[in-house]
Amino acid sequence: EVQLQASGGGEVQVGGSLTLSCALSGFTYEGVSVGWFRQAPGKEREAVACITRGDGTTYYLSSVKGRFSISIDNAKNTVYLQMNKLKTADTAIYYCAVDLNRVYESTWWWRNLYDYWGQGTLVTVSS
């Protein structure tokens, strides 16, 4: 059974940092892509970052480039999202998701491509 367990959310002040984790279980296929999405109140879910497990290619939402970093520990089957210089606009529920295929620059942000989703973890950035 494929499972994604997201954790690491919490409350932090503007300018602070958090690291989210997404523990993957139920598959080891090297060709998957793992993404982080977020959904703020009243807004649609948007793609934040993605990493392709095979070659480690990463993609980022323009507003988080230079502040967020996605990485994968294949030995632990865990994907991380390091978030620095957090802003109030980053407040949202963050979800990790898996696409069983490799994503590309033109497709990584399309949430309908992702096959499995974690339960979400809340990040609150206060001023």
Side-chain angles (χ1 to χ4, degrees):
E1 179 185 3
V2 175
Q3 290 189 336
L4 288 72
Q5 182 70 40
S7 61
E11 184 168 358
V12 64
Q13 291 192 325
V14 169
S17 298
L18 278 176
T19 300
L20 305 184
S21 300
C22 178
L24 314 173
S25 62
F27 63 94
T28 57
Y29 179 50
E30 291 294 326
V32 303
S33 303
V34 184
W36 282 99
F37 288 72
R38 67 185 180 188
Q39 188 164 18
K43 295 188 176 181
E44 290 194 358
R45 192 171 299 188
E46 65 177 354
V48 176
C50 182
I51 187 166
T52 57
R53 187 169 182 169
D55 60 9
T57 301
T58 57
Y59 305 97
Y60 294 96
L61 178 68
S62 58
S63 62
V64 308
K65 279 183 181 177
R67 299 189 298 121
F68 290 13
S69 178
I70 188 170
S71 60
I72 187 167
D73 185 332
N74 285 315
K76 295 183 178 179
N77 248 9
T78 300
V79 174
Y80 302 96
L81 185 68
Q82 174 69 44
M83 305 185 295
N84 300 321
K85 300 179 181 179
L86 283 161
K87 305 176 180 180
T88 55
D90 296 318
T91 294
I93 299 174
Y94 284 71
Y95 301 87
C96 58
V98 165
D99 183 340
L100 295 177
N101 301 294
R102 192 198 192 283
V103 296
Y104 296 90
E105 188 167 4
S106 60
T107 63
W108 73 274
W109 48 269
W110 192 19
R111 61 180 183 268
N112 289 345
L113 287 181
Y114 291 78
D115 302 288
Y116 298 97
W117 291 81
Q119 83 289 0
T121 184
L122 176 62
V123 172
T124 303
V125 184
S126 57
S127 57

